[in-house]
Structure formats: C-alpha cells, structure tokens
Amino acid sequence: MPSPLTSEQPHPTAAAGAPATGKPPSGGRDHFFDNAKYLAIVLVAIGHAWEPLPSGRLVEAAYTFVYTFHMPVFILIAGYFSRNFELRPDRVWKLVTSLLVPYVLFEILYTLFQRAAHDPDYSLSLLQPYWLLWFLPALFLWRLSTPLWQSVRFPVLVSVAIAALATVSSAADGSLQIQRILQFLPFYVLGLRLRPEHFAALRSTWVRVVSVPVFVAGMLLAYWLVPRTATAWFFRKNSTEKLEVAEWTGPTATILLFVAAIVLGACFLAWVPKGHSWMTTLGTCTLYGYLLHGFVVRGLQYGGFYDDPFFDTTLGTVAVTLGAVVMITLLCTPPVRRLLRPLLEPRMEWARQKPPAAHAS
C-alpha cells in the first residue's frame, strides 16, 4: 500500500469507473489528490519554518491556524487511500519497506545530524521519534488497524472517544508519541469512511464561496486565541496532566479541534485544483520533501540564520515563508526522488521470505 506522501499506483475510482473529481486521466490517477498533497506539504514546511521565528502574535496566529488542519488533511487522505487495505503478507511487507525502513534510516540520520549540529550527546531511540518522524510509525499503526475500523459500528465516533480519553491519560505521553497517534486517529478513520462523491461535493460553487469567509473567520479566531490558549493544544501530543490543565479540557479540546480541522480542511480542499498542473508531479514525491526538509530548517536554526534581526520583521517572515515554499518544492522534484528512491522506497526482496511452493494435488 503506498504512503499518502508518495504513491505510484493509480488512485481508486468511483463505482462507475471515473473519479468523482473529474474525468480520469491516463492511468486512472486522480490528480486532485496529488495536488492536495503538494499544497498540504507546503503548509507543513511553512509551519516548521515559522517555528524558530521570534515570537509575535501575528506569526503565532498564522502558525496556530495552519496547525489546526494541515496534518489532519494529510491523515484523512491517508485513510481514504487505505480503504482497501488487507492484512495480507504482501501488504504488510509493503508497509514495512515504505514506512518502517525509512523511519529507522532517518531516525539514525537525524540523530547523527543532531549530534553534529547541535547536541553531541543526543541519543538514538527508535521509541522516541525525532521531531517530524513520528508520522511514519503512526501511519504504520493506523494502517494495521484498518480492518478493525471497517468492522466496528460508528467507527468515527469510537475513534473520537478514544482520542478524547487519551488526553486524560498521562501513560499515552510515552514512547512513539502514542498520545499524538491516538489524538490524530479520528482523521484517519474518517478518511476510511469517505467516498469519491464526498470530495466531489467540495468542488461545488457554494462550498468554495462559503469557504472564503470561513477561512477569514478562522484566522481572526486564531488571532484572538493566541494570548488566551496554549499553542501546544494544536500539536495534539500532550495529556492534560502534562499541559497542567483540568482534565475536562482535554476531551473538550479534542472535539473542538476535530470539528475545526474538518471545517477548515474542507475549505482548503475546496480550492485544490482538480486537473493536471505543475504541482501534480510534485504531489507524488511529498514523502521526500517531508523527510528531507527537517535537515534544512533545523540546519538553518542551529547555524544562527534566524538570529538576524531582519527575521523579527514582517518582511523577514514573508521571506521565510517564500523560502519554505521554494525549499519544499525543490525537495519534491523527480530528480530528488530518482536519487534517493533506493533509500526511501526500498524493495528489499532479498530480505523477504518467499511463500511456500504450492503442492500439486
């Protein structure tokens, strides 16, 4: 099963044989999702590039606004393309090679990078993912759980209840960022329940018109919330005990953030181009941009790039934003994929156990 960040196989189509987002291009691939993945990874890169900027209410509001929905969109798309996942040996093997192997490799690489650039004593731990690497083991576990969510009644409600309960469990703050995996779980489960016609509905004119004032209202609300709430809520990785707040606020925040992410995510997807464009090919290589851009952002941060007073200005923030767009775009280009494909998409047939030969009756 391909990762939602990079996919080689044609996307699923509607029952009638054509994807609901438009006429299927050659090969049956729906360009809408590649475009959505590229635009979402751009938001991820921008958010990470904003992190080292000097604190300011406007930047913090934009950061909060983006973090409300950018990863939920990615995870929802991941769930959508996991609808047909089965616990067959070949599917599980594909999960291992496309998610766990790159995770282990990049955990080692980022550990060496961290030691060389910032912290010589930084320890390697596969149970404590480095910064952005949490998503790979999370997606591995979500995909393995797919048959369960396809069997249980009211799966989205159940997953939201699990996410809400996780916020009051300090035990979930431990290894593999289980807290984050559980809090983001409802978006994966919702993706499993969606069908092509749901995405087609987002393309209607009235949704696109309504999305504009909703986005504006969301940004204004984020600006209002900045001095009144902790940004840590939007990372979805801490329990109420760790945040030092009352227990009831955890489940409440879970539900509110889920609703906000769905609304803003729908507004975002409503404006994603559905046809083939310059961003379509880039959307097939987002795994590369996701895994590699951390070296650039953290490298600049550790090198003192953000210490320049220029980045404490509006123009400096704009420059960082544009730089992040250029950076992630370059990292998602086909040449980068061709160069690093053996590392990020290994086949590893040499390590795979061959199925037993069928015996003649």
Side-chain angles (χ1 to χ4, degrees):
M1 190 70 181
S3 162
L5 299 173
T6 177
S7 176
E8 299 177 55
Q9 302 300 323
H11 292 314
T13 57
T21 48
K23 182 179 179 181
S26 58
R29 193 178 188 96
D30 191 340
H31 300 312
F32 169 82
F33 292 101
D34 290 326
N35 297 335
K37 288 187 292 182
Y38 167 73
L39 293 174
I41 200 66
V42 166
L43 292 180
V44 171
I46 290 174
H48 286 161
W50 281 343
E51 284 185 14
L53 286 172
S55 180
R57 186 170 180 178
L58 186 60
V59 173
E60 192 74 13
Y63 184 81
T64 299
F65 177 74
V66 167
Y67 266 74
T68 303
F69 69 92
H70 72 342
M71 284 308 295
V73 166
F74 253 129
I75 296 166
L76 184 144
I77 293 175
Y80 178 71
F81 285 112
S82 299
R83 292 171 298 157
N84 298 321
F85 179 78
E86 299 174 350
L87 287 176
R88 301 199 318 255
D90 60 322
R91 292 292 186 90
V92 174
W93 181 256
K94 182 64 175 178
L95 277 185
V96 171
T97 57
S98 63
L99 294 175
L100 289 192
V101 171
Y103 169 65
V104 172
L105 171 64
F106 273 82
E107 191 66 45
I108 295 172
L109 291 177
Y110 271 112
T111 296
L112 296 176
F113 166 78
Q114 188 75 7
R115 290 176 180 176
H118 184 67
D119 182 3
D121 299 322
Y122 188 82
S123 60
L124 171 66
S125 175
L126 297 181
L127 296 180
Q128 298 295 334
Y130 180 88
W131 190 24
L132 51 74
L133 296 182
W134 70 271
F135 184 67
L136 298 184
L139 183 54
F140 179 81
L141 294 175
W142 289 330
R143 281 231 170 102
L144 287 181
S145 71
T146 297
L148 170 64
W149 300 114
Q150 292 173 331
S151 302
V152 69
R153 297 186 65 183
F154 312 115
V156 176
L157 290 178
V158 172
S159 65
V160 170
I162 291 174
L165 291 174
T167 64
V168 298
S169 174
S170 58
D173 292 334
S175 301
L176 284 180
Q177 295 198 24
I178 295 298
Q179 184 71 251
R180 183 174 260 173
I181 292 174
L182 295 178
Q183 288 195 38
F184 276 116
L185 174 64
F187 302 105
Y188 179 82
V189 176
L190 177 61
L192 290 174
R193 305 297 296 175
L194 294 179
R195 296 295 179 264
E197 55 268 25
H198 295 127
F199 292 97
L202 296 178
R203 302 296 307 170
S204 61
T205 301
W206 77 268
V207 174
R208 301 184 75 178
V209 170
V210 169
S211 69
V212 175
V214 170
F215 248 46
V216 172
M219 288 186 282
L220 292 175
L221 179 60
Y223 187 82
W224 180 81
L225 282 173
V226 163
R228 296 172 173 82
T229 188
T231 306
W233 280 115
F234 297 85
F235 300 149
R236 299 171 173 87
K237 66 176 183 179
N238 298 307
S239 65
T240 53
E241 180 178 326
K242 195 168 184 178
L243 291 174
E244 299 180 342
V245 295
E247 282 192 347
W248 66 267
T249 59
T252 303
T254 297
I255 296 172
L256 292 176
L257 284 174
F258 179 74
V259 173
I262 295 305
V263 171
L264 294 178
C267 294
F268 167 80
L269 291 172
W271 286 95
V272 171
K274 66 179 180 180
H276 189 279
S277 67
W278 60 270
M279 68 180 72
T280 304
T281 300
L282 299 171
T284 67
C285 304
T286 47
L287 173 65
Y288 295 79
Y290 183 82
L291 293 177
L292 295 171
H293 82 277
F295 291 111
V296 179
V297 174
R298 285 288 169 90
L300 292 174
Q301 181 182 0
Y302 296 152
F305 175 80
Y306 286 91
D307 296 336
D308 192 302
F310 171 69
F311 296 109
D312 199 11
T313 66
T314 300
L315 188 59
T317 300
V318 172
V320 167
T321 303
L322 295 177
V325 174
V326 173
M327 169 197 65
I328 199 68
T329 299
L330 293 175
L331 292 177
C332 291
T333 53
V336 173
R337 184 180 192 180
R338 286 194 293 270
L339 179 64
L340 299 179
R341 190 168 187 167
L343 296 178
L344 276 73
E345 300 179 69
R347 295 183 181 274
M348 296 186 63
E349 291 299 326
W350 56 270
R352 184 178 180 182
Q353 180 176 319
K354 294 182 179 180
H359 297 287
S361 56

